[in-house]
Amino acid sequence: MKVASRIVAEVLEGLRSLVAPGISTYDLDRFAAAEANKHNAKCAFRGYHKYPNSLCCSPNNQVVHGLATKNQLKLGDIVSLDFGVIYDDFYGDAAITLPVGEISDGAKRLISVTEESLYCAIKMALPGNRLGDVSSAVQGYVESRGYSVVRDFVGHGIGRSLHEDPQIPNYGTAGKGIMLKSGMVLAIEPMINEKSHEVKVLSDNWTVVTCDGGLSAHFEHTVAITDNGPEILTQIC
Ligand code: MF3
Ligand code: CO
């Protein structure tokens, strides 16, 4: 999982330097697939429940599971990129939200609050803590800053499958839920909306958008719980 997660992190870093006005999500998807191939890794999402792409690209009001198109990203957009690979039968999964050129202060703040909420959650991923400590860390951080937590999609355990138990909601009650243990690996992934938490799936049966058209941001890391604290596997340090 360390190897798979490192590949995911490297591909996302490559994407970070590519995202600019004029590039399409189709180009980003092709880049991610080619990079995974260079590392002898298999894209985890392509074909998963018939998902057609390698990279989930979700601009602006799209929350998750956006489909690649040849439309160019434009100055002022934001885009969430979610990527996963399988290497040696193990999975890694991570997501980032990037600005496309200069963006509004509101969009910048949504991105930074969402990213910071992920780190608040990761700090709680300790042996002896409860799953609700992780979930409520996201919710508390985000809601106190005026944003809302998507409820219809959640994080997940990860290992030899992309989605393993437990489900990890980004809302909940501290002290509740299963006890976390050393050796568990979690994909923690806050999906945060600028306005209402309500989302819907478009008629393509994949693209999740905000109901009110507000912006949405998404960050994800694959995190191992260890006796020495949380180890972020999808981070290049
Ligand atoms: N990170 C997302 C998840 O954990 C990506 C899945 S996209 C899918 O669910 F296409 F594979 F479903
Ligand atoms: Co995930």
Side-chain angles (χ1 to χ4, degrees):
M1 293 180 79
K2 281 188 178 173
V3 178
S5 296
R6 192 185 165 87
I7 294 168
V8 169
E10 286 177 3
V11 173
L12 288 174
E13 280 314 301
L15 288 162
R16 187 190 294 280
S17 56
L18 277 184
V19 166
I23 198 160
S24 70
T25 52
Y26 175 84
D27 296 331
L28 299 176
D29 179 63
R30 275 197 322 183
F31 172 83
E35 288 297 301
N37 197 39
K38 275 189 206 162
H39 287 98
N40 299 313
K42 199 166 161 277
C43 294
F45 304 163
R46 179 178 290 277
Y48 183 87
H49 294 282
K50 301 198 178 138
Y51 186 73
N53 301 136
S54 299
L55 176 72
C56 296
C57 303
S58 310
N60 299 323
N61 64 319
Q62 295 186 12
V63 180
V64 286
H65 305 166
L67 299 179
T69 75
K70 291 196 173 174
N71 302 335
Q72 296 181 350
L73 293 172
K74 47 185 204 312
L75 185 73
D77 285 348
I78 65 171
V79 64
S80 298
L81 303 176
D82 188 350
F83 191 57
V85 304
I86 313 167
Y87 188 89
D88 240 351
D89 296 327
F90 283 95
Y91 284 75
D93 185 9
I96 55 178
T97 300
L98 298 174
V100 182
E102 186 62 26
I103 60 171
S104 69
D105 288 345
K108 277 183 200 160
R109 181 166 177 272
L110 173 68
I111 290 175
S112 68
V113 167
T114 304
E115 183 168 25
E116 198 51 39
S117 77
L118 171 58
Y119 289 100
C120 291
I122 291 171
K123 281 196 195 113
M124 302 307 282
L126 301 169
N129 272 1
R130 300 273 173 178
L131 192 59
D133 298 327
V134 173
S135 302
S136 72
V138 174
Q139 185 178 22
Y141 188 84
V142 163
E143 291 183 351
S144 66
R145 285 159 181 80
Y147 296 128
S148 60
V149 169
V150 171
R151 280 133 200 280
D152 296 0
F153 296 87
V154 297
H156 49 96
I158 181 168
R160 289 177 188 271
S161 304
L162 177 60
H163 296 139
E164 298 186 355
D165 286 341
Q167 291 196 357
I168 309 173
N170 294 298
Y171 58 93
T173 309
K176 301 277 189 197
I178 62 154
M179 188 176 286
L180 303 178
K181 295 199 175 97
S182 185
M184 290 177 169
V185 183
L186 307 178
I188 306 174
E189 49 180 317
M191 290 150 265
I192 305 303
N193 293 352
E194 193 184 15
K195 299 189 249 174
S196 156
H197 70 82
E198 286 180 291
V199 301
K200 64 182 181 193
V201 182
L202 297 184
S203 60
D204 61 23
N205 284 323
W206 278 109
T207 310
V208 179
V209 298
T210 57
C211 288
D212 57 21
L215 294 177
S216 188
H218 180 206
F219 281 84
E220 176 177 22
H221 272 309
T222 296
V223 181
I225 298 174
T226 82
D227 291 329
N228 300 319
E231 188 177 341
I232 304 177
L233 303 186
T234 42
Q235 184 154 273
I236 309 170
C237 354

